[in-house]
Amino acid sequence: MNAPGRDATKALLRALRSAFDPVNFMNVERVQSREWASITFTGARHEVTIRLDGNGAEAAADRFAEGLEMAEFRLRGHILADIVLTAREKTEAGVRLHLEALTVEDG
């Protein structure tokens, strides 16, 4: 049996990786997922911390954050119901982004 939100977490991380230019290597520093449910939906809440390093990391973070709340991410078997950037920190090598997301099972 899978851990809570495990498939949704993997799908979310794949979608986040695809949102960045390969030049700006995305490092996942922390991921925490927990089950979530409402009367009509089942899913998971996710807290993700990623770091972008290298030249252009700040610009890539700007582009990502600019349209984040309206962006559409394809997650196999899940729908990304909400995603928000909760914090942004400058690092020696680039930038660190803290995200919170809600995924719900599709179907």
Side-chain angles (χ1 to χ4, degrees), residues 4-76:
R6 182 173 169 213
D7 291 338
T9 302
K10 287 180 180 180
L12 177 60
L13 292 176
R14 276 193 301 273
L16 289 172
R17 280 190 179 93
S18 72
F20 292 101
D21 186 325
V23 172
N24 297 298
F25 187 73
M26 185 186 103
N27 298 289
V28 177
E29 291 188 334
R30 178 180 172 269
V31 178
Q32 183 176 354
S33 298
R34 63 187 180 282
E35 290 181 355
W36 172 89
S38 69
I39 293 173
T40 53
F41 298 104
T42 301
R45 288 204 168 275
H46 311 274
E47 295 177 21
V48 180
T49 301
I50 59 176
R51 193 182 73 244
L52 303 177
D53 294 331
N55 292 336
E58 288 279 341
D62 289 342
R63 285 189 303 274
F64 176 75
E66 194 170 281
L68 181 61
E69 291 181 15
M70 298 304 290
E72 292 187 27
F73 294 92
R74 294 187 185 272
L75 309 178
R76 188 180 334 183

